[in-house]
Amino acid sequence: MKTNIQRSPSNQLIYNTITPLLFTLTSFTSQASEFDEMVEQHNLSVNQQIELTSNKMDTLYAKEDLNTVEEEQLFQLENSLDELYETLM
């Protein structure tokens, strides 16, 4: 059973002001936690892509002579790697 507590007008004003702020803070904290999880998952995915791209580049760099197609592929991998690093949050 909920008991009604009489509040003075000034206390009621404080209560009416603080209650929504507390709700907003709780909601914000929850959203921030969800956002942190999303950023962490994104960064893990990007780091995996960076590792794969780096491995492909290492394979091409290890070759003595690159043909035109391989040189173009290496150029594209370098650009892709730059873009991946830029997307890390």
Side-chain angles (χ1 to χ4, degrees), residues 4-46:
N4 268 342
I5 300 172
Q6 294 288 47
R7 294 185 180 101
S8 69
S10 62
N11 284 346
Q12 185 64 42
L13 178 62
I14 293 170
Y15 177 81
N16 290 342
T17 304
I18 291 177
T19 301
L21 292 174
L22 291 175
F23 176 76
T24 302
L25 180 61
T26 303
S27 178
F28 176 76
T29 303
S30 173
Q31 290 172 353
S33 178
E34 290 173 18
F35 180 74
D36 286 345
E37 180 63 30
M38 286 177 18
V39 169
E40 184 177 337
Q41 290 300 316
H42 171 266
N43 288 347
L44 286 173
S45 174
V46 170

Side-chain angles (χ1 to χ4, degrees), residues 4 11 17 34 51 57-58 62-63 74 77 79-81 87:
N4 268 342
N11 284 346
T17 304
E34 290 173 18
E51 185 176 354
M57 290 173 65
D58 290 344
K63 290 188 169 187
L74 187 56
L77 288 169
N79 287 338
S80 176
L81 193 61
T87 63

Side-chain angles (χ1 to χ4, degrees), residues 41-87:
Q41 290 300 316
H42 171 266
N43 288 347
L44 286 173
S45 174
V46 170
N47 281 322
Q48 289 172 345
Q49 292 174 19
I50 286 172
E51 185 176 354
L52 291 173
T53 303
S54 294
N55 290 340
K56 290 177 187 176
M57 290 173 65
D58 290 344
T59 302
L60 290 172
Y61 281 131
K63 290 188 169 187
E64 291 288 324
D65 293 316
L66 297 177
N67 62 37
T68 306
V69 172
E70 291 169 330
E71 286 178 359
E72 180 62 28
Q73 184 181 14
L74 187 56
F75 178 75
Q76 290 174 353
L77 288 169
E78 289 171 345
N79 287 338
S80 176
L81 193 61
D82 288 342
E83 290 174 9
L84 288 168
Y85 278 120
E86 287 175 9
T87 63

